[in-house]
């Protein structure tokens, strides 16, 4: 361990206070990343039979981000608090390999996802033919692409080493000044894993925004002003802006600092610059799930349904265990505090269910409520006429839009 520390620069080169701050940020990022990506994967598993081909890339993105969190953060956090790299050289190499593999997989995944969005929006005749089989092939291609660059330093094309700030490992950015093979690796990495993905993402979303703008102008000529922008247009614009901001915010600082060290004088690069850039890069693991859970309506609706189902199950267990309190609650509140839904036509509708006792009544003491089932109705406007139907008779999609 001592020889490794001398040769391998595992002593931190930033202040102890900064290391403590980095360790704390890693803890926060790690917890949020596990929660966000875990929820995203849970929602995807629950709706696996109805996943669209493009959503395969969202799932793959969550897997790669979760892989980075699980493999890197447990090593980086104790090292930051110890103010030195605590593990051996082999562990450092594995750490660097996982960081490059999962990081490049996320970047490549975002790039392919932007291309799929461009195909479906700008060329719908071809985009509608994009199938789950095509998505699986591209997902495999994303992992192969990332693996090529991650295996390179292990085979002599480039080198892995300690980060300049000393408490983590990545590509050795000082090697290009001494090794031509390492220089070629850095050049290829910069071109094919930053410039090309960045260009493809921006061009894809620029074409998407132009297409949306053109279709919106065409729609404006045929519909009333209040319906100028459809929900689909708004969703695409939000997703485009969020993905582009996330890409630049997470990876640009690290790319800039790394190229500064690789093509300039490494001695002039402050170690703290690498530390800050690394924090921004690792923040992408918690940023991406937030983007897709917030801006993807089908993921959000599935999550809400799952949360509501869990709450009903939990309330059922609690109500069965506390029926005396439940009966008392019903007697004190059922006269004036029942839930009511007021629709846009001003009609108030009682559900006859106490808001303090959300569970259905099945015991003998609540016989007055046992046979009652809430009946919600909706008025449907068709032309100049309207009709009233039960909400339960509407399609699931119409129910979700109505409610």
């Amino acid at each position: 361990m001592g020889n490794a520390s001398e040769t391998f620069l595992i002593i931190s080169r930033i202040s102890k206070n900064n290391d403590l701050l980095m360790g704390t940020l890693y803890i926060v990022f790690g917890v949020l990343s596990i929660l966000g990506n875990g929820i995203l994967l849970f929602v995807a598993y629950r709706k696996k039979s109805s996943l669209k081909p493009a959503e395969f890339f969202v799932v793959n993105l969550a897997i790669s981000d979760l892989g980075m969190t699980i493999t890197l953060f447990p090593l980086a956090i104790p090292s930051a608090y110890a103010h030195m790299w605590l593990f051996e050289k082999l562990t450092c190499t594995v750490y660097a390999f996982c960081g490059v593999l999962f990081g490049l997989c996320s970047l490549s995944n975002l790039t392919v996802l932007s291309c799929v969005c461009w195909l479906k929006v700008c060329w719908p005749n071809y985009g509608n033919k994009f199938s789950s089989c095509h998505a699986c092939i591209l997902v495999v291609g994303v992992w192969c692409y990332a693996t090529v660059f991650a295996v390179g330093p292990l085979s002599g094309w480039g080198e892995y080493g300690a980060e300049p700030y000393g408490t983590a490992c990545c590509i050795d950015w000082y090697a290009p000044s001494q090794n031509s093979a390492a220089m070629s690796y850095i050049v290829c990495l910069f071109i094919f894993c930053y410039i090309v993905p960045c260009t493809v993402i921006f061009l894809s979303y620029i074409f998407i925004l132009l297409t949306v703008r053109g279709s919106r102008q065409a729609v404006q000529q045929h519909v009333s002003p209040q319906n100028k922008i459809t929900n689909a247009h708004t969703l695409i614009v939000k997703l485009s802006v969020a993905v582009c901001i996330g890409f630049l915010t997470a990876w640009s600082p690290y790319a800039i600092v790394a190229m500064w060290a690789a093509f300039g004088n490494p001695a002039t690069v402050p170690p703290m610059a690498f530390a800050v850039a690394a924090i921004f890069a690792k923040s992408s693991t918690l940023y991406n799930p937030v983007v897709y859970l917030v801006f993807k309506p089908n993921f959000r609706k599935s999550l809400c349904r799952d949360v509501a189902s869990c709450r009903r199950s939990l309330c059922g267990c609690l109500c069965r265990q506390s029926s005396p309190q439940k009966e008392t609650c019903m007697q004190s509140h059922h006269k004036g505090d029942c839930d009511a839904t007021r629709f846009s036509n001003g009609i108030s509708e009682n559900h006859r269910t106490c808001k303090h006792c959300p569970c259905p009544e099945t015991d003998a003491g609540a016989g007055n409520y046992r046979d009652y089932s809430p009946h919600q109705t909706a008025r449907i406007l068709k032309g100049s006429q309207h009709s009233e139907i039960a909400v339960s008779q509407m399609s699931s999609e119409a129910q979700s839009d109505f409610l």
Side-chain angles (χ1 to χ4, degrees), residues 123-182:
W123 301 92
N125 291 334
Y126 298 99
N128 293 334
K129 299 178 182 178
F130 188 78
S131 65
S132 300
C133 181
H134 298 144
C136 291
I137 293 174
L138 288 177
V139 166
V140 174
V142 164
W143 282 100
C144 292
Y145 188 83
T147 302
V148 169
F149 286 94
V151 172
L154 300 179
S155 60
W157 186 39
E159 296 180 16
Y160 285 137
E163 287 272 25
Y165 56 91
T167 56
C169 300
C170 193
I171 298 168
D172 189 349
W173 302 110
Y174 297 154
S177 60
Q178 305 172 354
N179 189 338
S180 59

Side-chain angles (χ1 to χ4, degrees), residues 326-345:
K326 178 177 61 179
E327 184 175 355
T328 303
C329 175
M330 229 177 63
Q331 291 175 354
S332 61
H333 293 288
H334 79 274
K335 292 183 179 180
D337 289 339
C338 292
D339 284 340
T341 302
R342 185 171 298 276
F343 298 107
S344 59
N345 57 11

Side-chain angles (χ1 to χ4, degrees), residues 93 154 210 224 316 385:
T93 302
L154 300 179
L210 292 177
S224 57
Q385 299 180 350

Side-chain angles (χ1 to χ4, degrees), residues 270-291:
M272 194 60 197
F274 267 102
V276 174
I279 289 177
F280 276 96
K282 289 181 174 63
S283 70
S284 65
T285 60
L286 60 96
Y287 182 83
N288 291 323
V290 171
V291 169

